[in-house]
Amino acid sequence: MERKNLKKELVIFGIVFLIATLGMHHKEWISHPIEHLMHLSNAGAYGVGAIHPIIFTLVIYLIIWIPRGIIRLFKKKGQ
């Protein structure tokens, strides 16, 4: 059962990653996606550089996960 939950959370993380990436850089992904990926190592997004997509995705995922965790906690107590 735990493996199924982990797989579900990884899918959610991946969806958040895709939506955030396409939402923030849609013009770059449409006009020059390969060049955009090649310049990732030179990215200076708030000082976190090349790992900024993962960090921003993690922050968004945690913001989404907190209410889900609270709801899940109350559902388990009620059972």
Side-chain angles (χ1 to χ4, degrees), residues 39-54:
H39 286 73
L40 186 60
S41 61
N42 300 328
Y46 301 105
V48 291
I51 60 170
H52 77 272
I54 301 297

Side-chain angles (χ1 to χ4, degrees), residues 3-73:
R3 185 171 276 189
K4 185 177 179 181
N5 288 338
L6 179 61
K7 189 173 181 180
K8 176 184 169 188
E9 295 302 320
L10 284 173
V11 168
I12 292 171
F13 188 85
I15 290 169
V16 169
F17 178 81
L18 286 174
I19 290 171
T21 301
L22 292 174
M24 295 302 292
H25 300 287
H26 63 279
K27 291 178 185 174
E28 291 84 355
W29 283 108
I30 292 171
S31 64
H32 53 279
I34 302 299
E35 184 179 337
H36 188 65
L37 281 174
M38 297 303 287
H39 286 73
L40 186 60
S41 61
N42 300 328
Y46 301 105
V48 291
I51 60 170
H52 77 272
I54 301 297
I55 291 174
F56 293 160
T57 302
L58 183 62
V59 169
I60 295 168
Y61 174 79
L62 289 175
I63 290 170
I64 293 170
W65 183 82
I66 290 171
R68 289 176 53 223
I70 292 170
I71 291 169
R72 191 176 302 154
L73 182 67

